[in-house]
Amino acid sequence: MLTKMVSGKQVFSVIITLLLIFLLPPSHAASHLDLGGIKDSSSSINSQKVNLSVYYEALCPSCTNFIVQNLIRVFDDDLINIINLRMVPWGNAHVNKTDNTIICQNGHDECVLNTIQACAINVWDDVNKYYALIYCIEFLAIEGRHRNWPSCFSSLGLSEKPILDCYNNGTGAKLQALYGYETAHLNPPHTFVPWIVVDTKPLRNDYENFIAYICNAYKGNVIPNACKSHPHNNVSSIEEENPIYPVCYRGEAKNLTLLRPIKRIPRLRRAFWKVPGKGFK
């Protein structure tokens, strides 16, 4: 399914991409990159909406819990209609300067899943589709079955071919390099994941309260139901540095015991599953 080797030309292209992204200033790097196969996501961003950026990594228990139990709530009560949701799967990974390979703190499996999710985000313009795949993969991680991630395609009625092509032809590695560059240049720098940013405001230790920040930042006239219980300015000043909720620090070993058990998929997730005879809903 996933090819273990790519052509020499693809390897060279990926190495050059990594070098340009991590060694050159932003203005110089962008003009020299070979971004073949990578879509410009900026064209799909609605300037009237609130930007919600999620910096995370696969197999981080805190990220998995946040995606499956908390972030999924943006699809309730029309909240998704007032935000530009950006998923950035890189987290605490880094580039080995000796051979310019990507090192993920949760091992090779994390690197694979980060890249698969990056490919889904790049290939599918529909946030419902790529979030459904991310949700499915992270849910399997909670159950200790993350290596069964290919089953998510059939469960969701989605085609696996464009995602696997992206992974195997080197586009996924380029996407990872871009996400790595973006994460490395966050201001202020991220200190753990999940690292949540609403517009330009990092939520730091208050990340599970993200809906209140979204509602506070939203300036539109049509208020979604999710915001009616969150009056403006009902957010903390974010003074404390120590996180209230579990997080994954850089260099921290994977600890799946931190995953909160989930016995069943909540009813609101039904929209993510395959409709018999119709494919993805």
Side-chain angles (χ1 to χ4, degrees):
M1 180 176 291
L2 299 180
T3 58
K4 294 184 178 180
M5 300 293 292
V6 294
S7 69
K9 182 179 180 180
Q10 290 170 349
V11 170
F12 179 76
S13 175
V14 170
I15 290 176
I16 292 300
T17 300
L18 289 168
L19 286 171
L20 287 172
I21 285 178
F22 286 94
L23 297 181
L24 291 180
S27 58
H28 291 78
S31 62
H32 288 80
L33 288 179
D34 172 14
L35 299 181
I38 298 178
K39 296 180 181 178
D40 180 9
S41 60
S42 62
S43 61
S44 62
I45 294 178
N46 187 324
S47 61
Q48 301 300 312
K49 296 182 178 182
V50 178
N51 295 317
L52 175 62
S53 300
V54 179
Y55 298 86
Y56 72 103
E57 64 191 20
L59 302 184
C60 160
S62 302
C63 296
T64 295
N65 281 321
F66 178 72
I67 289 170
V68 172
Q69 298 187 12
N70 300 100
L71 186 58
I72 190 69
R73 290 156 57 197
V74 301
F75 294 92
D76 298 340
D77 300 323
D78 296 326
L79 195 61
I80 190 65
N81 294 326
I82 69 166
I83 66 172
N84 295 309
L85 177 60
R86 294 192 64 250
M87 304 294 289
V88 185
W90 174 266
N92 296 321
H94 67 277
V95 174
N96 184 331
K97 295 182 179 179
T98 301
D99 57 8
N100 297 303
T101 56
I102 297 174
I103 306 298
C104 298
Q105 70 175 10
N106 295 312
H108 177 69
D109 285 0
E110 180 202 320
C111 283
V112 171
L113 295 179
N114 284 347
T115 307
I116 289 295
Q117 294 181 25
C119 283
I121 295 166
N122 184 65
V123 170
W124 294 322
D125 293 328
D126 188 345
V127 65
N128 292 282
K129 286 187 177 181
Y130 66 70
Y131 192 86
L133 183 67
I134 293 171
Y135 177 95
C136 181
I137 292 172
E138 298 302 326
F139 188 89
L140 290 176
I142 288 179
E143 296 185 329
R145 299 189 297 120
H146 67 270
R147 291 185 177 177
N148 291 343
W149 62 266
S151 66
C152 289
F153 293 103
S154 58
S155 296
L156 297 166
L158 295 170
S159 172
E160 63 182 24
K161 186 179 185 304
I163 309 304
L164 300 184
D165 286 348
C166 168
Y167 182 97
N168 291 324
N169 65 21
T171 300
K174 294 178 184 178
L175 289 166
Q176 280 291 277
L178 289 171
Y179 284 147
Y181 179 85
E182 178 181 344
T183 304
H185 289 79
L186 284 169
N187 185 21
H190 86 289
T191 53
F192 53 77
V193 289
W195 187 259
I196 312 303
V197 179
V198 173
D199 284 339
T200 60
K201 188 183 191 70
L203 306 192
R204 293 189 174 92
N205 57 322
D206 202 25
Y207 68 86
E208 285 197 8
N209 197 30
F210 69 99
I211 291 179
Y213 290 87
I214 292 172
C215 296
N216 191 62
Y218 180 59
K219 307 304 180 185
N221 296 321
V222 180
I223 307 299
N225 290 331
C227 290
K228 293 178 180 178
S229 59
H230 292 279
H232 279 270
N233 300 317
N234 183 26
V235 294
S236 74
S237 59
I238 320 181
E239 296 290 338
E240 299 179 14
E241 289 297 330
N242 295 325
I244 298 173
Y245 307 105
V247 297
C248 292
Y249 291 99
R250 185 171 298 164
E252 212 173 33
K254 178 174 63 176
N255 182 4
L256 295 180
T257 62
L258 293 177
L259 291 173
R260 304 170 194 169
I262 298 179
K263 296 184 181 299
R264 61 184 179 83
I265 298 176
R267 286 181 297 171
L268 61 87
R269 306 294 83 81
R270 289 178 181 172
F272 281 160
W273 306 117
K274 184 177 179 181
V275 178
K278 297 183 179 180
F280 184 78
K281 183 177 180 180

